[in-house]
Amino acid sequence: MSRSDGQVRENTISELSNVDYATLTADEQLLILQLQHDILESVARGGDALATVERICRLAEQMLPNAVATVMQMDAVNEYLNVFAAPSASPEVVARLNRLRPGPGSGSCGNAVYHRKPQFVRDTFTDARWSGLRDLAHDYNLRACWSMPIYASEPRPIGSCALSSFAQCEPGNFHRKILEISASIIGIILAREKSEENLHLFAQTFEGLTEGVMITDAQQRIVLVNQAFVDVLGYTLEEVVGETPRMFASDRHDEAFYRRMRERIEAQGHWCGELWNKRKNGEEFPEWLSISAVENTAGTLTHYIGIFSDVSERHATQRRLEEEYALRQKIIESIPAAFFLLDEEQRPMMLNRHMLETLGMGEGEYVDHRLADYVCQEDRPRVLETMERVRAGETVSMEIGVLAQGGQVVPHRLNATAIDLADGQHLLGVALDISENKRIETSLKRESEKIRFMLRHAIDGVHILDVQGNLIEASDSFCEMLGYTRDEMQGVNVVRWDAGRSLSGAGPSAPWQLAGADRRRFETRHRRKDGSLIDVEVSSVGMNFDGQRVVFNSSRDITSRNEAKARIEHLAYHDQLTGLPNRSLLLDRLGQALASAQRAERHGAVIFVDLDQFKRINDVHGHMVGDSVLRQMAQRLRGILHQGDTIARFGGDEFVLLMPDLGRAHEEAATAALVLGHEIRQALGTPVQIEGQEYDVSASLGISLFPKRGDSVEDLIREADIAMYRAKDSGRNTLIFFEQDMQAAIAERYVFEHDLRNAVQQETGLELFMQGQVDAAGAVIGAEALVRWRHPVRGLIPPAEFIPLAEETGLIVGIGDWVLRESCRLMARWREAGKDLNLAVNVSPRQFRQDDFIARIRKILADTGADPKFLTLEITENLLIERAAEAVSRMQVLAEMGVRFSIDDFGAGYSSLAYLKRMPLKELKIDKSFVRDLPGDPNDAALIETILSMAHYLGLEVVAEGVETKAQFDFLASRGCEYFQGYLYQKPLPSAVWQDSIEP
């Protein structure tokens, strides 16, 4: 704050301080002193200005009960008053007071600032000074308000300090003194806050300047520099403080330069200009420097302030601009075209050398002419009209005839546009001599006609496409190749005829995709108008043609060549007589199959087939008949093959079959090979009909399995060949494994499976047996249905011998259906006879998991009329190992139909108590392995007791099977077992015999 500003503030305050301490009572003087002490203590503690002012407001409010103190401050542009502090006022009051414009009706505070003197309003409801705030007075019952203007360093008030009372009253000297003191001190606080803000702003500005700033004392010793100074010169503040600016001087200025600088500063207090200084690293650089002398209020020189900018970049830019200007001038002069710049009247301002040479003029001779003067008479009206369009902002390009030296008219391409310069609009143009272009264009047009003629009559299918694949031009031969007329082909897209399938892989199948200049040759297919496909060889190259980017293609029909090539390849790897793969192709595929089997740990087989007595047919009936026999044998063998298998003619009357994947297990592969071998024998054993004559043919087969350790492709063929000769030695028309130890077992299994399959499919030989179930009193309550197979040769075969095979081959599904159907028929007859007996039927996991199992159960019950509540399906615990949730869901559906469920052989398999409680079970069946050693084995006894206890807890009945002694029965019965089954009561009997045994 300057001395004059402070004097103004003191005079203003003294004018308002008209309350003399002598007019106050002793108590009031004491309170005033205490108030001053408290206020000054708050000020002395410093801190936030708002908190201090709010503290003053609260102290003032203590001096006038039932009052509110308010401090308002003018905004930055001295237009509105805003509440600075009002600790006891509500936010609503503060919001309504904000943006208060000082004036006659703006309340006590607005009038105090407006009139620059205290305002004491006794009744706000009636006083005219509150006319603009009357609603506020009524809404909050503000009855009296006394306000004092606040001054800082300026002659105008910066705000107001007020006390508002909720009762009508006049301020006494005591309260006026309170307002006077508060306003004075608050003015000091606000002035100090503004000074601190200004200092902070200066510090931020000083450090934030992008220009370097250096401050020296009167003796030119550096006292302060900013960060930009440090960044430019490379010195730190510590390195330069106390030094003089001479330490930065370069050698580019003499002493006279610096003397003139000092003289200007002494005379005018200021100097600015450009000079060269030196950085810490020794690099010299140009800077624009402004130096000002600073005096104190007494007019004494105290400091110098220097502000500079590094103008290295500006120098570089200026040099670059000068170089660019020179370069542009050189370019303009070197342009092989007429360049000109016209003023608003279309008079030349600048013509380049080429333009002057074209017109036959020298520099400056064009001043009094217009552009149209240099254009042939024919084109002048068009040029004048076009230049008007250019002046309107249009950029134009047109051909004109320029009057050259000697009156010759030279064709030019004129390009013109308007540009705005500082002195107005100008026309900029370039006129290019196109005489040669015209000559070339005429020549090219003639050549183009020749090319089009040659193109249309080319032998190959020549066609030109644009980059979108649309046909531009095509030869007659190309149209004929595709079966279209020329009119039909015009503008057609390539997708109509390109089949999009590359044959050679040497290039893209879509030739229009070739946009570069590289040449490509590849094979693809074209689609003819009739839909047929032809193989073609296409040569393509990208080029510019008739002003556009095109792809030039030549297609040659190579269908016949490819067909011949395919025939040659087929002949190389196939037998000419039968069309089967030959020895070479077989050996190649066998090598691949052997390697694959070794990697995947799978098994395959090779079957060597030799026709029996074929030489006799050849010798007796001739080679023509023999060839016909071979062709028919080959056709039959093809019909037996599975996908992935290979049948080859090995030579003469020999064929070899390759089955690369017959299973993971060795026995599984052997069985599959045996089945296929019998199919081959059966297929080849049917007599051959040739021209009405029947010929009997049979075959001997040798089988070799792979992989075997150390076997090669040749070893496998040799082993199968050896096995085939063993078959011939065994009487022909048979098959022999090279692995002799497998021959008997595989053959026996094959026959056994074959007989079982016939029995199931024809439902002959399967017999239903029954074993009764009794309660604790020995009364028959039902039976378990069992199946037996009566073989036509081997007699009655127990389940342990054929059920595992049935499970493995899937025949168990058919057997299970037969048992279910026969059991339900028997149940229906019992019901008709008035016997309600339970019948338990075993269901295999494979049968249970059939997708249509539920539907089949429903159909059998409907067809037979059996009551489902007397049918118990026995399932094993192993059913729950896989897809347990699905199994439980199926059981629940059947249970809703009335079917009962029992867990067979409980305890001998996988037991899931979690699923056990979810399944709709009626009973558990204790496995006979736990019953066998009762009651002597304590472990079995403990397990039996545990099973019975758990079953009864779950509400399930228990059937013990395998009960053979009275001691076993007594033990089980004493532990609560409900039902019993075993030899103690009855052995399994044929169903008819069992039914007779229960008749009374």
Side-chain angles (χ1 to χ4, degrees):
M1 181 175 66
S2 69
R3 185 169 54 187
S4 59
D5 290 340
Q7 187 64 44
V8 170
R9 180 179 180 279
E10 290 172 6
N11 293 339
T12 305
I13 294 174
S14 65
E15 293 173 4
L16 301 177
S17 303
N18 53 6
V19 179
D20 193 350
Y21 275 101
T23 63
L24 303 177
T25 66
D27 290 338
E28 288 175 337
Q29 291 181 17
L30 183 61
L31 288 173
I32 290 294
L33 290 173
Q34 183 63 44
L35 174 65
Q36 288 179 317
H37 176 272
D38 292 344
I39 290 175
L40 291 173
E41 184 181 19
S42 296
V43 174
R45 281 200 296 266
D48 181 56
L50 176 60
T52 305
V53 173
E54 287 182 342
R55 168 72 173 153
I56 293 173
C57 289
R58 292 190 182 93
L59 291 172
E61 289 171 351
Q62 293 174 10
M63 301 302 171
L64 181 63
N66 202 23
V68 176
T70 306
V71 175
M72 300 188 75
Q73 187 179 20
M74 292 298 294
D75 60 17
V77 295
N78 289 314
E79 184 175 0
Y80 296 106
L81 278 168
N82 293 300
V83 175
F84 180 77
S88 299
S90 67
E92 292 80 4
V93 173
V94 172
R96 293 177 66 173
L97 283 174
N98 280 336
R99 290 185 62 81
L100 178 65
R101 186 188 296 274
S106 58
S108 303
C109 294
N111 275 277
V113 173
Y114 183 74
H115 293 291
R116 303 189 183 185
K117 63 182 180 179
Q119 300 292 317
F120 303 108
V121 176
R122 179 180 180 276
D123 186 357
T124 61
F125 286 6
T126 60
D127 195 299
R129 287 172 289 181
W130 271 73
S131 60
L133 297 176
R134 196 81 72 200
D135 291 342
L136 177 68
H138 281 283
D139 291 346
Y140 296 100
N141 196 31
L142 299 176
R143 299 305 306 272
C145 183
W146 319 319
S147 181
M148 182 77 68
I150 299 174
Y151 287 89
S153 58
E154 298 86 358
R156 68 173 64 182
I158 64 170
S160 65
C161 176
L163 276 173
S164 301
S165 175
F166 299 112
Q168 292 183 23
C169 56
E170 289 279 359
N173 289 337
F174 173 68
H175 296 110
R176 294 187 183 204
K177 196 66 178 177
I178 290 172
L179 282 172
E180 179 185 313
I181 294 170
S182 299
S184 178
I185 294 176
I186 290 172
I188 295 171
I189 293 171
L190 294 180
R192 184 179 69 182
E193 182 189 34
K194 188 166 185 63
S195 297
E196 290 174 352
E197 287 179 356
N198 289 339
L199 286 173
H200 180 67
L201 180 61
F202 170 76
Q204 284 188 322
T205 304
F206 182 74
E207 287 301 328
L209 283 173
T210 56
E211 291 82 8
V213 180
M214 175 180 65
I215 301 175
T216 70
D217 60 15
Q219 288 71 42
Q220 300 183 20
R221 291 188 295 269
I222 298 172
V223 297
L224 186 64
V225 296
N226 69 346
Q227 185 61 43
F229 178 96
V230 172
D231 294 340
V232 172
L233 289 169
Y235 290 97
T236 64
L237 176 63
E238 292 77 9
E239 290 175 320
V240 299
V241 168
E243 301 291 339
T244 68
R246 280 287 187 177
M247 69 182 296
F248 315 124
S250 69
D251 297 331
R252 299 203 180 197
H253 308 290
D254 55 16
E255 184 57 35
F257 174 83
Y258 293 107
R259 184 175 64 254
R260 289 192 298 271
M261 179 192 297
R262 289 194 297 272
E263 291 173 352
R264 174 68 65 85
I265 296 172
E266 291 173 0
Q268 301 179 3
H270 182 75
W271 180 90
C272 65
E274 184 177 293
L275 79 162
W276 286 75
N277 269 339
K278 186 163 54 179
R279 308 184 205 274
K280 182 180 179 180
N281 61 8
E283 177 191 353
E284 294 182 350
F285 70 99
E287 66 178 41
W288 182 262
L289 174 62
S290 174
I291 301 176
S292 298
V294 180
E295 297 178 351
N296 60 17
T297 55
T300 304
L301 177 67
T302 60
H303 295 85
Y304 294 100
I305 297 179
I307 302 176
F308 70 91
S309 299
D310 186 343
V311 294
S312 302
E313 184 63 28
R314 188 174 71 186
H315 273 227
T317 301
Q318 184 174 348
R319 286 195 304 272
R320 187 166 59 251
L321 290 174
E322 292 172 353
E323 293 170 357
E324 288 177 358
Y325 178 78
L327 178 61
R328 281 197 297 270
Q329 288 298 109
K330 185 176 293 186
I331 291 173
I332 290 173
E333 291 301 322
S334 62
I335 292 175
F339 175 87
F340 59 87
L341 182 67
L342 309 180
D343 62 14
E344 293 182 345
E345 301 298 326
Q346 300 184 27
R347 298 182 188 280
M349 296 178 61
M350 182 176 69
L351 303 179
N352 71 344
R353 178 183 54 79
H354 191 89
M355 183 73 167
L356 294 173
E357 290 175 355
T358 300
L359 300 176
M361 291 185 178
E363 189 72 34
E365 294 182 19
Y366 52 80
V367 175
D368 296 327
H369 297 272
R370 302 177 65 190
L371 175 64
D373 297 336
Y374 306 113
V375 179
C376 67
Q377 192 69 33
E378 179 184 345
D379 290 339
R380 283 179 188 175
R382 191 162 54 94
V383 169
L384 291 172
E385 183 270 332
T386 301
M387 289 301 104
E388 291 302 318
R389 287 162 43 203
V390 173
R391 293 184 62 183
E394 185 178 344
T395 299
V396 300
S397 178
M398 61 184 296
E399 286 189 16
I400 62 173
V402 174
L403 290 175
Q405 188 175 8
Q408 180 185 1
V409 178
V410 181
H412 279 70
R413 166 64 63 178
L414 172 64
N415 296 282
T417 187
I419 60 173
D420 291 321
L421 300 178
D423 56 347
Q425 188 186 61
H426 295 70
L427 302 182
L428 180 68
V430 175
L432 180 65
D433 186 345
I434 57 174
S435 305
E436 183 65 17
N437 291 15
K438 288 288 186 179
R439 187 190 64 77
I440 294 174
E441 183 179 330
T442 302
S443 176
L444 286 176
K445 190 173 294 185
R446 289 196 296 267
E447 291 299 321
S448 178
E449 291 300 324
K450 293 180 183 178
I451 292 172
R452 290 181 186 276
F453 179 82
M454 295 170 62
L455 173 65
R456 292 190 175 187
H457 296 84
I459 297 176
D460 286 339
V462 176
H463 54 289
I464 302 174
L465 307 174
D466 63 19
V467 292
Q468 283 77 39
N470 298 315
L471 184 69
I472 299 174
E473 187 61 75
S475 65
D476 293 339
S477 59
F478 185 69
C479 297
E480 293 171 4
M481 180 189 298
L482 299 180
Y484 291 96
T485 65
R486 177 173 296 280
D487 291 339
E488 290 174 329
M489 288 294 289
Q490 194 63 38
V492 169
N493 193 273
V494 67
V495 296
R496 177 180 294 186
W497 72 79
D498 189 87
R501 289 176 289 179
S502 176
L503 302 179
S504 64
S509 62
W512 72 92
Q513 295 173 350
L514 185 64
D518 294 341
R519 294 179 180 272
R520 297 282 183 87
R521 177 175 292 179
F522 54 92
E523 294 181 12
T524 184
R525 284 196 173 100
H526 284 351
R527 185 182 293 105
R528 291 172 50 82
K529 182 179 179 180
D530 60 8
S532 61
L533 298 177
I534 58 173
D535 297 340
V536 293
E537 181 183 71
V538 180
S539 297
S540 297
V541 62
M543 62 176 62
N544 292 317
F545 183 74
D546 277 357
Q548 63 176 320
R549 190 67 181 171
V550 300
V551 180
F552 185 91
N553 303 279
S554 175
S555 297
R556 177 171 296 177
D557 188 345
I558 57 171
T559 305
S560 299
R561 187 182 76 184
N562 284 355
E563 289 174 350
K565 180 180 177 181
R567 285 195 297 271
I568 292 171
E569 290 180 353
H570 188 272
L571 290 174
Y573 294 102
H574 289 78
D575 176 54
Q576 190 170 358
L577 176 64
T578 62
L580 294 176
N582 60 14
R583 180 193 299 256
S584 298
L585 185 54
L586 170 72
L587 295 178
D588 179 71
R589 291 183 180 177
L590 180 55
Q592 297 178 30
L594 181 59
S596 176
Q598 290 168 340
R599 287 194 305 270
E601 297 182 356
R602 307 279 294 181
H603 290 80
V606 174
I607 301 180
F608 205 107
V609 180
D610 185 88
L611 301 182
D612 298 327
Q613 304 299 332
F614 178 76
K615 185 175 183 302
R616 181 176 56 82
I617 294 176
N618 251 347
D619 293 344
V620 173
H621 303 285
H623 290 285
M624 295 289 290
V625 173
D627 290 348
S628 296
V629 170
L630 289 175
R631 281 193 290 268
Q632 289 197 31
M633 294 297 103
Q635 188 63 30
R636 294 179 185 181
L637 289 173
R638 281 196 188 96
I640 297 172
L641 284 185
H642 299 118
Q643 185 175 3
D645 296 347
T646 299
I647 171 68
R649 185 185 179 197
F650 206 65
D653 59 352
E654 296 175 337
F655 300 90
V656 175
L657 282 80
L658 166 63
M659 286 72 67
D661 188 357
L662 295 178
R664 186 170 295 277
H666 194 263
E667 294 77 10
E668 180 185 2
T671 302
L674 181 65
V675 171
L676 183 61
H678 284 299
E679 291 179 5
I680 293 171
R681 287 180 54 245
Q682 184 176 358
L684 301 185
T686 304
V688 177
Q689 295 285 340
I690 300 176
E691 296 180 353
Q693 181 71 34
E694 190 174 271
Y695 300 92
D696 291 326
V697 181
S698 63
S700 298
L701 284 68
I703 303 175
S704 178
L705 302 176
F706 66 85
K708 294 190 288 289
R709 184 184 300 275
D711 265 6
S712 64
V713 170
E714 292 75 13
D715 292 334
L716 290 174
I717 295 295
R718 178 179 52 79
E719 291 168 359
D721 189 31
I722 291 173
M724 181 271 294
Y725 278 107
R726 289 178 186 162
K728 282 189 175 295
D729 293 343
S730 300
R732 292 186 172 85
N733 194 25
T734 187
L735 60 85
I736 295 292
F737 278 87
F738 176 77
E739 298 81 358
Q740 295 186 27
D741 54 336
M742 297 188 62
Q743 184 72 33
I746 296 299
E748 182 180 357
R749 173 191 166 93
Y750 173 78
V751 172
F752 194 60
E753 179 184 340
H754 179 269
D755 293 344
L756 178 60
R757 189 176 301 277
N758 287 337
V760 174
Q761 291 174 348
Q762 300 172 15
E763 296 188 356
T764 57
L766 296 180
E767 296 182 6
L768 193 65
F769 274 56
M770 298 287 172
Q771 186 175 29
Q773 295 177 344
V774 301
D775 59 15
V780 176
I781 53 92
E784 178 182 1
L786 305 170
V787 64
R788 298 292 186 266
W789 176 28
R790 191 173 298 279
H791 192 274
V793 177
R794 299 170 58 179
L796 195 65
I797 299 177
E801 293 188 22
F802 70 87
I803 290 298
L805 179 61
E807 289 277 7
E808 181 182 339
T809 59
L811 294 173
I812 192 65
V813 176
I815 294 173
D817 285 352
W818 181 85
V819 172
L820 268 172
R821 190 178 304 106
E822 293 301 314
S823 298
C824 287
R825 286 173 180 164
L826 188 60
M827 287 169 56
R829 288 198 295 270
W830 290 347
R831 188 179 184 187
E832 291 174 358
K835 298 177 182 178
D836 292 332
L837 297 174
N838 293 322
L839 188 55
V841 178
N842 286 283
V843 177
S844 76
R846 189 163 185 171
Q847 180 185 7
F848 186 85
R849 293 191 182 111
Q850 295 296 306
D851 292 338
D852 60 345
F853 178 70
I854 294 175
R856 281 149 68 174
I857 293 290
R858 186 178 284 115
K859 186 175 187 307
I860 289 173
L861 290 171
D863 292 346
T864 60
D867 189 343
K869 70 181 180 181
F870 295 109
L871 174 63
T872 299
L873 298 182
E874 293 188 357
I875 61 174
T876 63
E877 297 170 281
N878 293 334
L879 183 65
L880 299 176
I881 293 178
E882 296 180 2
R883 304 189 304 203
E886 180 183 339
V888 172
S889 176
R890 288 192 176 191
M891 292 172 65
Q892 289 172 342
V893 173
L894 292 170
E896 291 173 0
M897 294 166 49
V899 177
R900 293 161 48 95
F901 280 95
S902 173
I903 293 291
D904 193 17
D905 300 334
F906 185 77
Y910 169 83
S911 296
S912 172
L913 299 181
Y915 280 103
L916 189 65
K917 67 180 183 179
R918 289 176 51 189
M919 291 190 294
L921 296 174
K922 293 297 182 181
E923 68 179 30
L924 298 181
K925 200 168 187 181
I926 300 175
D927 186 65
K928 59 186 177 182
S929 62
F930 298 126
V931 177
R932 182 184 302 114
D933 296 327
L934 288 179
D937 190 325
N939 294 328
D940 286 342
L943 287 172
I944 292 292
E945 290 176 348
T946 301
I947 293 172
L948 288 168
S949 176
M950 180 194 66
H952 292 152
Y953 180 79
L954 295 175
L956 302 177
E957 298 172 346
V958 179
V959 178
E961 65 176 345
V963 180
E964 299 181 353
T965 67
K966 183 68 168 53
Q968 292 171 346
F969 168 77
D970 292 339
F971 178 85
L972 291 166
S974 65
R975 267 66 174 180
C977 183
E978 288 88 355
Y979 306 114
F980 309 89
Q981 177 182 340
Y983 280 19
L984 178 62
Y985 310 102
Q986 190 179 67
K987 293 182 178 180
L989 299 172
S991 59
V993 176
W994 184 85
Q995 189 167 342
D996 292 339
S997 70
I998 62 172
E999 294 290 339

